[in-house]
Amino acid sequence: GAGVSQSPSNKVTEKGKDVELRCDPISGHTALYWYRQSLGQGLEFLIYFQGNSAPDKSGLPSDRFSAERTGGSVSTLTIQRTQQEDSAVYLCASSLAAQGRGETQYFGPGTRLLVL
Amino acid sequence: DQQVKQNSPSLSVQEGRISILNCDYTNSMFDYFLWYKKYPAEGPTFLISISSIKDKNEDGRFTVFLNKSAKHLSLHIVPSQPGDSAVYFCAASAKTGGATNKLIFGTGTLLAVQP
């Protein structure tokens, strides 16, 4: 079956513009995560969705970042008024569930965002 | 504050030899540890994991060792193969009582296996 897909694969934008990044999780996976990897850094947790529960937004770096997950499937990460420090690879992951330990998270290929 | 540390940014080994990748953590609440492998332009792929109730987990050529007292884990690959060349990330999660299974990642180690 298809893995996690993300679009666009690359995005170049100007400082101050808004961007939307899309994630299609693996069908049937109820848990969805967004991470980002800045240059020379590890992956940084941003936000998590699980079914109909309220999302865990504890990793969002500022109020310019928001995400939604429609119908429990596709998710969109929106960055408003982008800044150069937002340049990073944004990775989406999904898993069968978050309950219980050790649910493997499957990652998409990422969206490479460059803010000029 | 880096809770998961991979102090070696790169490692080079000869094909057929053992590769040992190291990871240290600071948060004593971490109780589950994972290794992910990442090729360029791809997302990380899960490799192997270990629960804090164990000190070793083996899967084929890959073995993860956990030393809780030292807050240290390592990934052993033997024998190493050129296809193992990739960036390896160590990750950890904590039992917080909530549902989030968010992973805290290290900065990665680039492994190069020389033929």
Side-chain angles (χ1 to χ4, degrees):
Chain A
V4 177
S5 61
Q6 293 185 245
S7 61
S9 54
N10 293 281
K11 176 71 177 179
V12 181
T13 190
E14 293 178 349
K15 178 182 173 182
K17 300 277 180 136
D18 298 352
V19 295
E20 281 190 356
L21 312 179
R22 177 187 167 106
C23 172
D24 284 271
I26 293 172
S27 177
H29 281 193
T30 60
L32 186 147
Y33 305 78
W34 282 97
Y35 295 85
R36 76 174 175 181
Q37 185 181 13
S38 302
L39 191 62
Q41 301 296 315
L43 281 73
E44 173 192 5
F45 168 78
L46 297 177
I47 189 169
Y48 150 81
F49 296 90
Q50 169 58 36
N52 295 321
S53 303
D56 177 352
K57 304 179 182 179
S58 61
L60 294 179
S62 78
D63 59 8
R64 296 185 295 104
F65 288 73
S66 63
E68 61 180 23
R69 188 179 185 191
T70 54
S73 181
V74 171
S75 176
T76 303
L77 177 69
T78 301
I79 309 173
Q80 295 178 309
R81 305 180 304 282
T82 52
Q83 303 294 312
Q84 289 180 333
E85 60 263 27
D86 299 334
S87 297
V89 178
Y90 288 81
L91 290 151
C92 175
S94 70
S95 67
L96 276 171
Q99 286 79 14
R101 303 314 303 281
E103 281 292 344
T104 299
Q105 295 182 25
Y106 295 88
F107 283 82
T111 293
R112 285 150 192 80
L113 175 66
L114 176 62
V115 182
L116 301 176
Chain B
D1 176 32
Q2 195 75 22
Q3 297 186 65
V4 177
K5 301 176 185 178
Q6 294 177 256
N7 293 316
S8 297
S10 64
L11 175 68
S12 181
V13 299
Q14 288 293 123
E15 181 178 5
R17 302 282 189 138
I18 185 171
S19 295
I20 301 177
L21 298 105
N22 293 302
C23 178
D24 297 290
Y25 61 95
T26 58
N27 189 342
S28 58
M29 296 298 292
F30 288 147
D31 67 340
Y32 197 75
F33 304 89
L34 308 90
W35 284 94
Y36 278 80
K37 174 180 177 180
K38 185 180 184 302
Y39 292 117
E42 295 183 11
T45 55
F46 171 74
L47 197 56
I48 193 169
S49 62
I50 188 167
S51 164
S52 61
I53 62 174
K54 296 184 175 181
D55 55 17
K56 177 182 175 181
N57 187 28
E58 190 172 353
D59 183 2
R61 296 186 298 113
F62 302 91
T63 303
V64 56
F65 295 91
L66 176 62
N67 182 333
K68 288 188 295 293
S69 61
K71 293 191 175 68
H72 177 84
L73 66 156
S74 61
L75 173 68
H76 292 208
I77 306 173
V78 56
S80 302
Q81 299 173 355
D84 297 330
S85 298
V87 177
Y88 288 78
F89 289 98
C90 170
S93 68
K95 198 168 192 177
T96 61
T100 305
N101 193 23
K102 66 183 178 186
L103 298 176
I104 309 299
F105 283 83
T107 52
T109 296
L110 174 62
L111 173 66
V113 180
Q114 309 296 332

